[in-house]
Amino acid sequence: MRKIYIFFFLLFGVFILLDASLEVKYPFSKMDSENVTTIQKAGFVPSIFSEVKLEKEELFLSSPDTLTWRLLGIIKYVKKPDKDYPDGVMFPIVNSELKAKNKKKIVMSGFIVPIDNVSYALSKNVFASCFFCGKAGPETIMGIKFRGSTPRLKTDQYVTLEGNFRYNDNDVNDWIYHIEDAVIVKGGK
């Protein structure tokens, strides 16, 4: 039993040494101090190689953030009065990370769910277990507003969309999450 502990101790030591010796190099040209930010490389132990300097413009060029259903699912609800619902209704409290992404370009993947003859929603689950069927909550679906004309899509078609993220925390008759000015970047036709 003691030999196993020694083996794992030595193995862990090798991982630490390998991690400390790895260096990440990025081929950036100009590096003036007021326009540079520091990012720490992930790893076990900080080392002299663990920080990478990136220009701030290169961090946020125009690459959209990829949202996940897990992040959208981090939500709480609070019961508030509403003119249409005298007994009150549950309003969403959107997490701060999603609030920071409001009206910013994002990428999101999911299943197409038809809402009516002309509009669709993006769902975490297929139609048979989507929000409408009681198998999930309202945070597992996003309203879609396409750029230009709405394409013809099939139920349960898995797509990746790029567009502007918007959240709604005050209108109970609307989706909590939206993707607007959306274009299909993967999975269309």
Side-chain angles (χ1 to χ4, degrees):
M1 188 66 152
R2 203 175 203 179
K3 290 180 183 179
I4 292 174
Y5 289 129
I6 292 171
F7 172 76
F8 283 112
F9 182 74
L10 290 174
L11 185 64
F12 184 69
V14 169
F15 284 130
I16 289 175
L17 288 173
L18 284 173
D19 182 63
S21 66
L22 292 176
E23 181 178 356
V24 178
K25 295 182 181 182
Y26 291 94
F28 299 133
S29 53
K30 60 178 186 167
M31 300 289 276
D32 49 272
S33 61
E34 77 267 352
N35 201 22
V36 172
T37 190
T38 302
I39 295 179
Q40 184 170 350
K41 178 181 76 96
F44 292 116
V45 180
S47 71
I48 59 171
F49 303 115
S50 66
E51 292 184 345
V52 177
K53 300 216 182 274
L54 297 175
E55 294 182 33
K56 288 183 182 174
E57 305 91 51
E58 292 175 302
L59 287 173
F60 306 105
L61 276 176
S62 63
S63 61
D65 287 333
T66 300
L67 288 186
T68 63
W69 292 108
R70 185 173 186 205
L71 178 60
L72 295 179
I74 302 172
I75 192 167
K76 295 182 181 179
Y77 295 89
V78 62
K79 191 171 188 175
K80 293 183 188 176
D82 185 73
K83 62 180 170 94
D84 296 332
Y85 305 97
D87 291 336
V89 68
M90 301 302 279
F91 281 86
I93 300 172
V94 177
N95 70 61
S96 59
E97 190 173 347
L98 286 175
K99 284 184 178 183
K101 296 178 188 308
N102 195 38
K103 298 185 179 164
K104 299 216 168 104
K105 191 173 282 286
I106 58 105
V107 173
M108 188 69 188
S109 297
F111 297 96
I112 292 295
V113 174
I115 303 305
D116 53 33
N117 290 338
V118 293
S119 59
Y120 300 100
L122 191 67
S123 176
K124 174 183 178 181
N125 304 314
V126 294
F127 187 72
S129 14
C130 76
F131 164 58
F132 304 114
C133 302
K135 303 283 185 193
E139 69 279 357
T140 63
I141 200 154
M142 294 179 84
I144 305 171
K145 185 183 280 185
F146 285 100
R147 180 185 304 163
S149 62
T150 303
R152 296 225 3 112
L153 300 167
K154 295 178 182 174
T155 301
D156 293 339
Q157 182 177 348
Y158 192 80
V159 297
T160 300
L161 301 176
E162 182 176 298
N164 298 320
F165 175 71
R166 180 175 66 85
Y167 72 89
N168 161 42
D169 60 359
N170 57 11
D171 182 0
V172 296
N173 296 314
D174 195 8
W175 307 111
I176 297 172
Y177 303 122
H178 294 267
I179 183 165
E180 298 175 336
D181 199 28
V183 293
I184 299 172
V185 294
K186 188 175 179 184
K189 296 197 183 202

